Amino acid sequence: VQLQASGGGAVQVGDSLRLSCAASGRSVSSLAMGWIRQAPGKDRELVAAVSWSGGTSFYGTSMEDRFTISRDVAKNTVSLQMNNLKVEDTAVYYCAAGPSLDIDPSIYEYWGQGTQVTVSS
């Protein structure tokens, strides 16, 4: 499974960004996919994940009010719409895939290269 993330950048507080992840590989359609972020000096944390069918989504703590995850099964892509960004959202965002929806980042077996999101005031 290969995951290619894109869409990061430098924005201002209150702006929006949309991250995209293109997945390839024989088994990718059977995997849950998600976005996991890591801020400097902090542990990785789940932002959001979506089931293999796209029918069920799961969000990390306090993520659902500003972030929306979606999956295009036909195109093998997962997107993360991030609205009203805050300085504390600054992190490297990784696209990841694994056997099930889980808040624990270590469950996700496959990882993309990460894309930097920087939010400044």
Side-chain angles (χ1 to χ4, degrees):
V1 174
Q2 293 79 45
L3 304 171
Q4 181 70 41
S6 61
V11 297
Q12 301 287 316
V13 169
D15 285 351
S16 297
L17 270 179
R18 186 175 182 86
L19 306 182
S20 295
C21 177
S24 60
R26 290 181 60 185
S27 62
V28 67
S29 61
S30 66
L31 299 174
M33 293 185 66
W35 291 93
I36 294 163
R37 71 184 185 185
Q38 186 167 27
K42 295 187 177 181
D43 293 334
R44 291 180 175 179
E45 63 173 340
L46 179 81
V47 178
V50 62
S51 63
W52 66 270
S53 68
T56 302
S57 57
F58 180 83
Y59 291 87
T61 303
S62 301
M63 302 290 184
E64 192 167 6
D65 56 341
R66 297 183 295 118
F67 297 165
T68 303
I69 191 169
S70 59
R71 183 170 187 167
D72 187 325
V73 175
K75 296 181 179 179
N76 281 336
T77 59
V78 174
S79 297
L80 182 70
Q81 178 66 39
M82 305 186 293
N83 297 326
N84 191 24
L85 284 162
K86 302 178 180 181
V87 172
E88 51 265 40
D89 294 319
T90 296
V92 177
Y93 285 71
Y94 297 91
C95 177
S100 60
L101 295 176
D102 203 292
I103 199 169
D104 182 356
S106 68
I107 295 297
Y108 297 86
E109 302 172 15
Y110 307 97
W111 294 71
Q113 85 284 8
T115 184
Q116 177 71 45
V117 172
T118 303
V119 185
S120 58
S121 58

